[in-house]
Amino acid sequence: MIRSTRLVGLLKTKAPKLVAAAFGMDPHATLIHLAGHPAAPGVCPIVERRPVPENPLVISLAMPQTLMYFRDPWRSAQGTLDRRTGTRMALLRLDWVLSGQGWAHCIVSDRHTEAEVTASYITAAPEEFLTAVTRLVVGETECRAQFEAEPTAFRWIFYREGTNVWIRLLELAHGSAHDNTGSEIWSTQQDIDVVARAVIRCFDEVVREYGESPYRGKWGEHFPSTELEALRTAWRERRGDRPASSTPSKP
């Protein structure tokens, strides 16, 4: 029989499902068994107890009508598990998809909601967006970027306090409209590192998929490599990284 302290040690470095599978145990039962264990402070704490709807059979057996919920440290640190692919979904994801000559769709999502907006090449939408995030990384507390969809506009508003970032995405009737006249179509709260990583990965994927020359041919303007590298450098310096060579390393 495996000792509880051994299970605790494994759970500090491995996902609960992997540990349970290795010893032929049920993952949920393992967490229940170790909840509140003195050797595992914070590893699998009980977050709350919630009453469940009354069930006559359960009542007749005099069983407690409570469900226990646990905080999975691996899930909170690495995102939720995509059951279709078996991989963990990012806490924040951004996609920039060229949809036509001079047009792009931007899809943004977190673990709860998703929004899709349109951008036109008539303004420097990707450059403005990357610059706003860079300014946020270096310490500014409020930054903005705007996508023009002719005549609709989508305005990104970033607020930073410490390492926490609140993002609001507004839809407005036209680009010069006041914030108060817009409709908030998406919002999220994230860590500054999560935001920077998601944006860098988004545009790294864009240049890998299209290439800089085909990107310009379809979008109508150059790929924003200068702004992307400025963000990468700012984020690297914030984390205290020092690249081994002058060639930028990917996050």
Side-chain angles (χ1 to χ4, degrees):
M1 181 176 181
I2 185 169
R3 294 171 58 89
S4 295
T5 51
R6 174 60 175 156
L7 281 176
V8 169
L10 291 170
L11 284 172
K12 288 180 178 179
T13 57
K14 306 293 182 184
K17 288 186 178 180
L18 293 177
V19 175
F23 294 99
M25 302 172 69
D26 178 80
H28 191 65
T30 304
L31 291 176
I32 292 175
H33 175 63
L34 294 176
H37 193 284
V43 174
C44 43
I46 296 176
V47 176
E48 59 180 317
R49 297 175 183 268
R50 298 180 186 173
V52 297
E54 291 189 353
N55 183 317
L57 177 60
V58 174
I59 293 174
S60 67
L61 295 174
M63 295 178 66
Q65 297 261 89
T66 302
L67 290 178
M68 290 188 291
Y69 290 79
F70 301 90
R71 180 182 296 112
D72 182 343
W74 276 69
R75 174 173 294 180
S76 61
Q78 302 181 15
T80 54
L81 185 68
D82 187 331
R83 297 181 183 277
R84 294 171 300 174
T85 64
T87 59
R88 291 194 177 275
M89 296 183 291
L91 298 174
L92 179 67
R93 180 167 180 83
L94 187 76
D95 292 291
W96 180 263
V97 182
L98 300 182
S99 55
Q101 190 68 37
W103 291 94
H105 290 302
C106 181
I107 303 99
V108 61
S109 60
D110 59 11
R111 290 182 295 177
H112 308 290
T113 56
E114 177 181 291
E116 180 174 343
V117 298
T118 303
S120 166
Y121 82 107
I122 62 170
T123 60
E127 290 88 348
E128 189 176 331
F129 185 84
L130 286 161
T131 299
V133 177
T134 301
R135 290 167 54 195
L136 204 69
V137 168
V138 299
E140 293 197 25
T141 57
E142 181 176 340
C143 302
R144 292 162 178 256
Q146 187 159 297
F147 296 170
E148 297 290 344
E150 303 180 57
T152 306
F154 297 98
R155 185 172 298 158
W156 301 80
I157 308 176
F158 303 88
Y159 302 98
R160 177 176 174 180
E161 183 175 350
T163 62
N164 298 314
V165 175
W166 177 30
I167 306 174
R168 298 179 66 207
L169 180 54
L170 307 180
E171 180 177 354
L172 303 108
H174 54 85
S176 60
H178 192 277
D179 291 351
N180 294 340
T181 67
S183 301
E184 184 178 287
I185 60 174
W186 184 81
S187 68
T188 189
Q189 294 186 34
Q190 302 284 348
D191 183 84
I192 183 64
D193 286 332
V194 172
V195 176
R197 182 184 297 111
V199 175
I200 292 170
R201 285 180 174 172
C202 168
F203 286 94
D204 278 346
E205 289 174 2
V206 169
V207 75
R208 278 196 296 267
E209 179 177 351
Y210 297 103
E212 293 196 17
S213 182
Y215 175 92
R216 183 186 181 189
K218 194 165 187 179
W219 173 246
E221 297 293 343
H222 291 284
F223 178 79
S225 55
T226 300
E227 290 78 9
L228 175 58
E229 292 311 316
L231 173 56
R232 197 192 312 278
T233 299
W235 184 48
R236 183 183 294 129
E237 290 176 351
R238 186 197 116 70
R239 296 184 304 163
D241 291 356
R242 292 293 179 270
S245 68
S246 60
T247 302
S249 59
K250 306 304 181 186

